[in-house]
């Protein structure tokens, strides 16, 4: 049984003899991760940005700064991502209102995407995106002065392209995220061709 608003699933081994179900979080392998964090400064005002990052490939398909996000804004951003990458099997999110919205829940249900919520106050459960957001903050947001939201989008997009195309990761065999994703895609295609 699925509990979409909490991201929990019923563990069949936890069924009691009396027939009651005990709900425990069930952690599974996660492909892409996504989280929102308030970081960017714009004329002294904080502007949130939505970041999406693949858990395995380290590829970042989107960093979108704006002054506020609702569930529909997150859904629109995810639709833009899946046009190019396809729908993920699951997305890890925190408990922000934009992620617990009905719009995102319906979007995930319609596409068969599992929303995996981290436990409140446990950012280490989504450590890859936290590390990525720290790098984004240190290398881009804290270094640049943005004069407008459009300027912030432009400079952040340049940083995202550089991160994906020019930075090898030791965890990826010293490949860039773009190279690793291309290699994985080629391996999948060759496996399909053999069948």
């Amino acid at each position: 049984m699925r509990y979409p608003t909490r991201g929990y699933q019923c563990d069949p081994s936890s069924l009691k003899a009396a027939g009651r179900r005990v709900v425990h979080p069930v952690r599974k392998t996660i492909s892409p991760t996504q989280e929102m964090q308030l970081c960017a400064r714009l004329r002294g005002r904080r502007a949130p940005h939505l970041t999406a990052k693949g858990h395995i490939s380290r590829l970042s398909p989107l960093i979108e700064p704006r002054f506020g996000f609702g569930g529909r804004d997150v859904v629109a951003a995810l639709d833009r991502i899946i046009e190019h990458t396809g729908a993920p099997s699951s997305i890890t999110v925190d408990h922000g209102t934009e992620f617990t919205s009905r719009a995102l829940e319906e979007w995930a249900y319609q596409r068969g995407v599992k929303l995996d919520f981290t436990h409140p106050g446990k950012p280490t459960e989504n450590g890859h995106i936290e590390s990525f957001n720290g790098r984004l903050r240190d290398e881009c947001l804290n270094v640049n002065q943005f004069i407008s939201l459009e300027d912030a989008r432009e400079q952040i997009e340049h940083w995202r392209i550089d991160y994906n195309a020019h930075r090898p990761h030791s965890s990826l065999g010293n490949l860039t995220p773009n190279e690793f994703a291309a290699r994985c895609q080629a391996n999948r295609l060759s496996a399909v061709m053999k069948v």
Side-chain angles (χ1 to χ4, degrees), residues 59-123:
L59 186 70
S60 172
L62 173 84
I63 303 173
E64 184 174 327
R66 51 171 51 196
F67 285 117
F69 280 97
R72 288 190 179 98
D73 301 320
V74 173
V75 165
L78 288 171
D79 280 335
R80 287 193 305 276
I81 291 172
I82 66 170
E83 282 179 18
H84 303 289
T85 64
S89 59
S90 68
I91 298 175
T92 302
V93 295
D94 63 20
H95 284 271
T97 56
E98 63 282 348
F99 297 128
T100 58
S101 70
R102 179 155 315 276
L104 183 59
E105 186 177 334
E106 288 174 4
W107 178 91
Y109 177 77
Q110 291 169 355
R111 286 157 184 79
V113 175
K114 179 181 176 272
L115 295 177
D116 187 17
F117 290 87
T118 60
H119 290 89
K122 304 279 186 184

Side-chain angles (χ1 to χ4, degrees), residues 7-12 23-29 114 116 119:
Y8 295 147
Q9 291 183 342
C10 182
D11 182 0
V23 178
H24 299 284
V26 177
R27 304 300 290 187
K28 296 187 177 179
T29 305
K114 179 181 176 272
D116 187 17
H119 290 89

Side-chain angles (χ1 to χ4, degrees), residues 9-10 30 46 86 96 145 160 187:
Q9 291 183 342
C10 182
I30 301 157
R46 286 191 168 265
Q145 185 72 21
R160 186 190 71 81
N187 290 344

Side-chain angles (χ1 to χ4, degrees), residues 43-69:
R43 291 188 186 162
R45 179 178 170 190
R46 286 191 168 265
H49 62 277
L50 178 71
T51 56
K53 180 176 175 265
H55 180 71
I56 296 170
S57 70
R58 309 288 195 266
L59 186 70
S60 172
L62 173 84
I63 303 173
E64 184 174 327
R66 51 171 51 196
F67 285 117
F69 280 97

Side-chain angles (χ1 to χ4, degrees), residues 58-59 135 139 157-169 172 174-180:
R58 309 288 195 266
L59 186 70
R135 185 176 302 254
E139 296 176 4
E157 181 64 11
H158 287 301
W159 183 89
R160 186 190 71 81
I161 290 169
D162 178 64
Y163 176 86
N164 285 336
H166 304 292
R167 295 185 185 197
H169 294 259
L172 303 177
N174 290 320
L175 297 174
T176 67
N178 283 347
E179 292 168 339
F180 185 81

Side-chain angles (χ1 to χ4, degrees), residues 5-20:
T5 57
R6 295 282 184 232
Y8 295 147
Q9 291 183 342
C10 182
D11 182 0
S13 66
S14 68
L15 296 176
K16 299 287 184 183
R20 292 183 309 154

